[in-house]
Amino acid sequence: AQTVTQSQPEMSVQEAETVTLSCTYDTSESDYYLFWYKQPPSRQMILVIRQEAYKQQNATENRFSVNFQKAAKSFSLKISDSQLGDAAMYFCAYRSAAGNNRKLIWGLGTSLAVNP
Amino acid sequence: NAGVTQTPKFRVLKTGQSMTLLCAQDMNHEYMYWYRQDPGMGLRLIHYSVGEGTTAKGEVPDGYNVSRLKKQNFLLGLESAAPSQTSVYFCASRTDRYLIAGYTFGSGTRLTVV
């Protein structure tokens, strides 16, 4: 069974600086999708960025980018020029490309604080 | 705004009472999910649906029932609430047209069982 591990329960960053959140996963599959979700204090989960396993190029969305290392099964999230609004819980998630249900496998999250 | 709407947002129940949480989406998504979120345990899947009239069990289905009579609605029922069901409940939906599609989440329901 697949698992997702976020080894940093809490992190902090100074406003305007860069922070990297770690995520590793375990799978025997070759085709899958990886996601980072953000959950601010308002509670609603928001999709930040996603990556297809068969694409070598790292995904980028404005200030958010990933470092996808397929062989190492690592999918870290880099937030550049951190803003106060980036403070939130961040969840890494995995989904197999096979099967009918294609459920997400979630990490336990990393709480990010942004210091002014 | 298009999206996923959950009602109610907050609820307090006494042990043994029943209630239904409603999730409605207006994006014509095929897949819908109910999760619970507890401190230190992340998101755990309760039940899910791959289309109108279908439901399936997730990781933690005991004590819950669901129905998807209409494509846009996914109901989560608690027949006899227990304190262990105190949690924040999230509904999510997803299209199956694109494999890379992410989930759209509702804003959650905070349920307290006393």
Side-chain angles (χ1 to χ4, degrees):
Chain A
Q2 295 87 7
T3 58
V4 176
T5 301
Q6 294 179 249
S7 59
Q8 306 150 316
E10 297 179 347
M11 291 195 71
S12 64
V13 63
Q14 290 297 124
E15 196 176 3
E17 295 192 346
T18 295
V19 64
T20 298
L21 308 183
S22 300
C23 173
T24 58
Y25 57 93
D26 188 25
T27 184
S28 59
E29 299 177 325
S30 59
D31 195 11
Y32 49 86
Y33 305 98
L34 296 163
F35 304 85
W36 278 99
Y37 282 85
K38 171 185 177 181
Q39 186 178 35
S42 65
R43 230 168 47 194
Q44 188 157 12
M45 301 276 281
I46 303 164
L47 177 65
V48 175
I49 199 166
R50 51 193 160 192
Q51 175 81 39
E52 296 161 270
Y54 61 84
K55 286 190 176 179
Q56 291 187 336
Q57 186 174 3
N58 290 325
T60 299
E61 291 285 345
N62 300 314
R63 296 183 296 106
F64 297 87
S65 61
V66 298
N67 183 5
F68 173 49
Q69 301 288 331
K70 190 172 184 179
K73 297 178 183 176
S74 172
F75 183 60
S76 60
L77 175 69
K78 185 171 82 171
I79 307 174
S80 303
D81 186 24
S82 297
Q83 300 175 358
L84 295 177
D86 294 334
M89 280 289 288
Y90 286 83
F91 292 92
C92 179
Y94 168 105
R95 187 170 83 232
S96 169
N100 291 329
N101 55 51
R102 302 192 183 105
K103 292 171 286 186
L104 280 175
I105 310 297
W106 296 88
L108 293 183
T110 296
S111 178
L112 178 66
V114 181
N115 304 315
Chain B
N1 291 337
V4 176
T5 303
Q6 287 183 235
T7 52
K9 293 191 179 342
F10 302 92
R11 185 72 185 268
V12 178
L13 283 181
K14 293 182 178 178
T15 298
Q17 286 185 319
S18 64
M19 76 164 295
T20 300
L21 282 66
L22 172 63
C23 176
Q25 53 94 3
D26 58 4
M27 298 169 286
N28 202 34
H29 285 175
E30 289 293 332
Y31 284 55
M32 297 187 75
Y33 307 83
W34 275 108
Y35 286 93
R36 60 177 289 173
Q37 185 178 33
D38 303 289
M41 303 192 74
L43 284 154
R44 292 184 292 169
L45 182 64
I46 305 172
H47 285 280
Y48 64 99
S49 169
V50 300
E52 181 179 318
T54 72
T55 62
K57 294 180 180 179
E59 303 169 66
V60 288
D62 293 343
Y64 305 94
N65 56 75
V66 288
S67 64
R68 185 123 179 247
L69 299 179
K70 295 183 178 180
K71 186 177 184 179
Q72 64 267 34
N73 296 336
F74 194 30
L75 279 62
L76 178 70
L78 286 73
E79 290 187 349
S80 179
S84 61
Q85 294 177 304
T86 293
S87 187
V88 179
Y89 292 85
F90 286 97
C91 177
S93 71
R94 181 175 72 84
T95 180
D96 201 32
R97 292 182 62 194
Y98 311 105
L99 294 177
I100 191 63
Y103 289 17
T104 300
F105 280 84
S107 57
T109 296
R110 183 175 293 279
L111 174 67
T112 303
V113 182
V114 297

